[in-house]
Amino acid sequence: MKILLVEDATALLRAIELKLKKIGYEVYPCADGRQALEELESVTPDLVITDIMLPFVSGLEVLNAAKAKNKRTPVIVFSAMGQENAVEEAFLLGADDYVVKPFGLKELEMRIKRLLGTLNADIQS
Amino acid sequence: MILSLLSIFDFFKPGFFYATAAVFAVLIVLLLVLIYWNLYERKAAFFQPQSFRVEFELWVSKWILEDLQDTDTIRVPLKFAKHLKRPNNRQFALDGLIELKKSVAGAVGDKVVALYLELGFKEDSLKKLNSVVWHQKVKGINELSVMQQEDMNARIFKLTNNRNKYIRREAQSAMFNFYGFKGLRFLNVLTHAISDWQQLNLIEQLRPLDPEPIPGLSGWLHSDNDTVVIFALRLAEIYQCFEVHADVVHCLAHANEAVRSQAAKTLKEIADDSTADILCKQYTVETVRNQVVLLNSLAVIAGDAQQPFLTKELDNENAFLKLGAARVIATCCSNGWAILGAKAREQPSPFQKIYNHLRFELKK
C-alpha cells in the first residue's frame, strides 16, 4: 500500500518513513508541501499523512489536493499543541484523523492500520 | 604637471603598453583562479555536510526504531565522529534530535534523549547555558528543557528571574516543562513582570496536564508582583479553583485596575451564592471599564436578587453600562423581558432600541 508522507522536520520524516517501510508500506516522503503536490500528480496514494505547518504550501492544501484527486483517500494530519483551529479546518476539508505532537510511533501505526482497514486482521492474527 | 604629461606619453609607447597589459592579464587570471577556488570550496562545504546530514538522519532513524534493551550501548559509526567535530554539523545533528524529541513520545522519545547524551550534546547545551550571549543561553535552556535534563533544574531555576526577558521566559517554560504545575514555584520569587504573551505560552503548556490543586496559588494571589497576581487569577479562572474564592474576592480591592478586572472575570467561573452581590457592591466603586467587565460577569451569575440594582443601572448616563445592565436583566432575571418592555414603553428612547437590539443579539 502506498503512503504519501509529508513532514518538514527531516529527522522525523526519515524516522516515520523507516518505520512504515519496516511494516511493509511503500512510502513517498516529501519534505514540503510543494513536493507533495508534485508527487500527488504522479502517485495515487492509499493514505496521506501530512503535517499542517509546512513550507511553501500548507498541509491543508495538500489535504485538499489529495481529496480532490480521490475523495476516499484517508488523510491523517499532524498538529502541534494549540493548533485546534487548523485541526478543525482540516476536518472540515475531509481529514479522517489527526495526531498531536509529540506522538508515539506505535500510536501512529495503529491509526494508519485502522484507516487502511488492516487493524482487525492484525488483531485476529 | 609636466611629469604626469610625460607618464601619459610613456603609456602610449609600445613597450610600456604591452608590459602593463601583461600585468593586468596575469591579475585577471589570478582573480579567476581565486573565484573558481572559492566556489569549489563552497560547493564542497555544502555537499559534504549534506551527505553527512542525510546519512546521520538515516542512522538516527534506524537506531531509534531498533528494539534494543536498556543494557545495549550505542555504537556511533566512526565516519560520523569526524563530521561531528565540525560545529555546524554538531548543531545540525543536535537540532535534528531536538526536533525529533519534540515530535515523538514514549520509548522512541527516550531513545532520542539517550542519543543526545551519548553524542555529548548535553555538554554543548551546557556551554550555551554558560554563555554570556543571551540568545546562546536561551538556546541552551531550550535544549536542556526539551531533552528533559531535570538535573539542571537548580541552574535553570535561577534564570527564571533573570533581567533579560528572553532568558527569563525560556527558563520559566523549562521549569514548567520539567515539573508541570509544581514548576510554577518560580512565581514565589519572581520580581519581573510576566508578559501577556508569556502568560499565554504557559497556559498553553498547561493544557495537556490533568487539572489538579495548584500548589502556591493562594500565595500568588497576594503577590507584590501584579503580573503574578493576574496570572494566578487566570489559572484560577481556567481551572475553576473554588478553594481560592476568598483570595480572589480580596483581589477586587487591589490598587491595580487590571488585577481587579481579571478578578471580576475569574469570579464568574468560581462563583458561589455570595458572588453576584459582591460584584454589585464592587460596581459602585469601579472605573467605567471595569464596570463593563463586572456586568459581563454578572450576565453569567446574576439572578432575581440583583434585579433592583440592575434596574437602577438602566438609568446610568453611560450608554454602554445602560446596555450592559439591560443585557443582564434580559438573560438572568425571570421577568427580564417584561421589565425591559415596560421600560421601553415608559421611555422609548433609547430603551426601545436597546430592547430590539437585545432581542436580535440574544436570539442568535
Side-chain angles (χ1 to χ4, degrees):
Chain A
M1 285 191 167
K2 296 173 187 167
I3 295 180
L4 179 70
L5 173 65
V6 199
E7 168 62 60
D8 59 328
T10 49
L12 179 65
L13 177 73
R14 301 225 188 277
I16 301 173
E17 179 192 353
L18 211 67
K19 172 82 181 170
L20 299 182
K21 277 182 176 169
K22 262 188 169 182
I23 301 168
Y25 296 117
E26 198 179 326
V27 186
Y28 295 84
C30 302
D32 63 63
R34 207 154 51 190
Q35 198 188 337
L37 293 186
E38 282 168 15
E39 202 73 76
L40 269 172
E41 282 173 15
S42 54
V43 180
T44 306
D46 297 296
L47 177 90
V48 175
I49 305 172
T50 178
D51 195 1
I52 289 181
M53 303 297 275
L54 291 170
F56 309 124
V57 172
S58 84
L60 295 178
E61 284 176 69
V62 174
L63 159 68
N64 229 349
K67 287 289 179 184
K69 188 164 186 182
N70 182 359
K71 219 175 172 183
R72 289 184 177 176
T73 306
V75 178
I76 300 176
V77 292
F78 290 148
S79 79
M81 209 68 74
Q83 286 183 342
E84 281 79 7
N85 289 345
V87 171
E88 197 183 320
E89 206 182 329
F91 274 118
L92 290 174
L93 289 172
D96 299 86
D97 204 351
Y98 79 106
V99 186
V100 181
K101 290 179 184 174
F103 56 84
L105 290 181
K106 193 74 193 166
E107 176 196 347
L108 179 67
E109 181 189 336
M110 290 299 163
R111 287 177 189 272
I112 291 169
K113 285 182 173 170
R114 186 179 62 84
L115 285 176
L116 291 176
T118 55
L119 187 61
N120 287 342
D122 244 38
I123 294 167
Q124 279 160 15
S125 68
Chain B
M1 181 73 181
I2 294 165
L3 272 173
S4 62
L5 275 174
L6 268 174
S7 60
I8 290 170
F9 184 73
D10 285 347
F11 184 74
F12 290 105
K13 282 181 180 171
F16 189 80
F17 177 78
Y18 290 129
T20 315
V23 168
F24 272 106
V26 169
L27 282 175
I28 288 168
V29 170
L30 270 175
L31 190 68
L32 286 174
V33 169
L34 273 174
I35 290 171
Y36 180 78
W37 182 254
N38 183 273
L39 286 175
Y40 180 82
E41 282 286 297
R42 279 174 183 237
K43 196 177 164 188
F46 179 77
F47 282 107
Q48 205 178 357
Q50 282 298 102
S51 63
F52 155 73
R53 288 170 183 194
V54 172
E55 278 184 48
F56 181 77
E57 279 177 347
L58 265 174
W59 175 73
V60 169
S61 308
K62 276 181 193 159
W63 193 82
I64 60 171
L65 294 175
E66 267 176 34
D67 294 323
L68 296 175
Q69 302 301 314
D70 289 345
T71 48
D72 289 337
T73 50
I74 305 166
R75 286 193 191 90
V76 184
L78 273 177
K79 60 180 175 180
F80 292 147
K82 189 185 82 185
H83 286 294
L84 283 173
K85 280 180 187 157
R86 297 173 80 160
N88 282 352
N89 287 347
R90 273 192 89 74
Q91 193 54 52
F92 168 82
L94 178 50
D95 288 344
L97 290 184
I98 295 281
E99 192 60 51
L100 208 51
K101 178 70 180 77
K102 280 184 189 168
S103 305
V104 292
V108 176
D110 295 341
K111 281 186 166 184
V112 176
V113 176
L115 209 50
Y116 166 81
L117 295 173
E118 183 63 31
L119 292 171
F121 288 143
K122 186 173 179 179
E123 283 69 41
D124 292 27
S125 302
L126 286 174
K127 264 186 210 161
K128 289 175 199 152
L129 184 70
N130 292 332
S131 167
V132 286
V133 184
W134 70 265
H135 56 86
Q136 285 291 325
K137 219 181 222 351
V138 168
K139 196 155 177 58
I141 298 169
N142 180 265
E143 288 169 3
L144 292 164
S145 161
V146 172
M147 290 297 174
Q148 290 291 334
Q149 298 304 301
E150 288 174 27
D151 56 322
M152 288 294 116
N153 81 81
R155 292 187 57 193
I156 294 176
F157 183 78
K158 281 183 192 161
L159 299 171
T160 57
N161 200 25
N162 193 283
R163 62 182 174 177
N164 181 305
K165 65 178 176 182
Y166 299 106
I167 295 175
R168 204 163 66 223
R169 194 185 293 170
E170 199 59 48
Q172 290 169 359
S173 294
M175 289 310 293
F176 190 75
N177 201 23
F178 289 155
Y179 302 115
F181 287 105
K182 286 184 185 128
L184 291 176
R185 66 190 166 96
F186 65 81
L187 293 173
N188 296 334
V189 292
L190 189 68
T191 54
H192 292 93
I194 325 176
S195 65
D196 278 346
W197 176 243
Q198 174 64 350
Q199 291 191 29
L200 286 174
N201 277 332
L202 289 170
I203 287 167
E204 196 60 37
Q205 272 182 276
L206 273 165
R207 288 207 295 166
L209 300 178
D210 289 332
E212 54 180 86
I214 304 172
L217 182 62
S218 175
W220 304 332
L221 289 168
H222 298 274
S223 169
D224 291 335
N225 183 337
D226 291 359
T227 56
V228 169
V229 181
I230 291 173
F231 181 60
L233 285 167
R234 283 190 173 142
L235 290 178
E237 180 188 2
I238 294 166
Y239 291 95
Q240 294 192 300
C241 305
F242 292 96
E243 69 276 11
V244 292
H245 185 274
D247 300 298
V248 178
V249 171
H250 179 81
C251 290
L252 286 174
H254 203 281
N256 186 326
E257 186 188 8
V259 172
R260 297 199 306 274
S261 171
Q262 184 55 51
K265 288 176 195 164
T266 303
L267 280 170
K268 174 185 71 183
E269 298 298 329
I270 56 170
D272 62 15
D273 293 344
S274 66
T275 311
D277 282 335
I278 292 169
L279 294 186
C280 291
K281 199 175 156 197
Q282 179 68 20
Y283 185 91
T284 56
V285 294
E286 266 303 351
T287 59
V288 173
R289 200 191 321 204
N290 275 2
Q291 282 178 325
V292 174
V293 175
L294 284 164
L295 285 172
N296 287 341
S297 293
L298 281 168
V300 179
I301 60 169
D304 286 332
Q306 285 73 45
Q307 186 206 307
F309 160 78
L310 293 164
T311 312
K312 208 176 106 197
E313 273 313 295
L314 288 177
D315 295 324
N316 195 305
E317 284 176 9
N318 185 304
F320 281 110
L321 298 178
K322 213 188 277 281
L323 177 64
R327 188 181 288 114
V328 184
I329 290 172
T331 51
C332 300
C333 299
S334 49
N335 58 346
W337 288 112
I339 294 168
L340 292 180
K343 194 77 181 169
R345 282 190 296 278
E346 180 193 313
Q347 206 180 322
S349 177
F351 287 101
Q352 190 58 52
K353 273 187 182 172
I354 288 177
Y355 183 89
N356 293 341
H357 172 80
L358 289 174
R359 274 286 183 200
F360 177 74
E361 179 191 300
L362 298 173
K363 202 166 74 177
K364 278 202 283 187

